[in-house]
Amino acid sequence: EPLGTALVKHAGDAKDYALPSMAWWGVSPLVDSDPMAIVRLASACEWPDTVRWMARALAERMEEKPEPLDAMLDLAAKALPEKRGWILKGVSEGLQGWRKAPKPPAWDVVVASVTEDEEVAALVRELSAVFGDGRALDEVKKLALNEGADLAARTAALRTLIDARPDDLREVCAALLDTRVVNAVAVQGLALFDDPKLGTELAKRYRRFYPAERPAVMDVLVSRPAWVMA
């Protein structure tokens, strides 16, 4: 942490082609071992991309560890508008695929801190939807089906759809059966439908799943009598 702090406080290196990513690579293990250290580093950091990556990593882990994200948002509320934007952009990236998330205690302070910066205000509106009424399911569905999007974000989006169970959930899950990583979650969605044809489709695609995912697929196949024969 002390070495990282000494490096990231030099604003003149913010546009260096390697230093911001190298510093993040060096301190990223702290996200799991000491996430509050990441908040302290972000406070000292003058590198936009590195701050954004820090915020994104904490947002991605908010289910298991909500306190560090809340501390990061508290930092955003107290920061200058420029750094506030870096942090909020990272949080937005970390919550891609979430339709609704628990509102951190510091969020209301962040909302109150936003004034004239339109880019920051747009991020606040977007995140307020996630922390309030939730994103529209159409947006979540679009992300899940976006072949160019990050696989982790697509997977999170599909889980959100499965929880919400929209009318076209079966079609969405079926469309993702050939997409590695995401297809393991798609199987969970299809398990909600009692249709013998689905068992046949899953059996045909069994070897398209990664070996570590196949036991879960087999569990689904044997969960319905009509699918066992397939």
Side-chain angles (χ1 to χ4, degrees), residues 68-150:
L69 175 61
D70 191 55
M72 182 67 85
L73 290 172
D74 185 62
L75 171 63
K78 299 172 181 175
L80 294 174
E82 187 176 38
K83 178 174 280 190
R84 188 179 300 132
W86 305 343
I87 294 173
L88 294 180
K89 188 173 182 181
V91 174
S92 175
E93 292 175 356
L95 295 180
Q96 285 293 308
W98 287 61
R99 180 175 178 237
K100 185 173 175 57
K103 185 175 75 172
W107 183 246
D108 289 337
V109 183
V110 174
V111 174
S113 69
V114 175
T115 53
E116 71 285 349
D117 191 303
E118 178 53 35
E119 183 177 356
V120 174
L123 287 167
V124 168
R125 288 194 296 269
E126 174 194 336
L127 289 169
S128 289
V130 180
F131 295 140
D133 297 332
R135 284 194 178 103
L137 280 179
D138 285 344
E139 179 187 347
V140 179
K141 187 191 311 175
K142 183 178 179 181
L143 176 60
L145 295 170
N146 183 358
E147 296 181 358
D150 176 75

Side-chain angles (χ1 to χ4, degrees), residues 205-221:
R205 288 174 164 82
Y206 183 73
R207 293 192 180 277
R208 299 186 188 183
F209 294 89
Y210 285 116
E213 297 168 341
R214 291 175 186 171
V217 177
M218 186 61 72
D219 286 344
V220 170
L221 282 170

Side-chain angles (χ1 to χ4, degrees), residues 187 191 194 198-200 202-203 206 214-230:
V187 169
D194 190 8
L198 289 176
T200 302
L202 292 178
Y206 183 73
R214 291 175 186 171
V217 177
M218 186 61 72
D219 286 344
V220 170
L221 282 170
V222 301
S223 67
R224 294 185 179 278
W227 293 8
V228 172
M229 295 307 296

Side-chain angles (χ1 to χ4, degrees), residues 144-210:
L145 295 170
N146 183 358
E147 296 181 358
D150 176 75
L151 285 175
R154 295 180 70 187
T155 300
L158 184 56
R159 287 198 178 100
T160 296
L161 290 173
I162 292 172
D163 290 340
R165 302 192 185 185
D167 293 339
D168 58 351
L169 177 63
R170 174 173 172 168
E171 289 74 15
V172 173
C173 290
L176 293 170
L177 278 180
D178 293 325
T179 303
R180 288 291 185 94
V181 178
V182 185
N183 58 358
V185 179
V187 169
Q188 298 171 21
L190 292 175
L192 299 171
F193 301 93
D194 190 8
D195 183 344
K197 294 179 181 178
L198 289 176
T200 302
E201 289 300 317
L202 292 178
K204 285 180 179 178
R205 288 174 164 82
Y206 183 73
R207 293 192 180 277
R208 299 186 188 183
F209 294 89
Y210 285 116

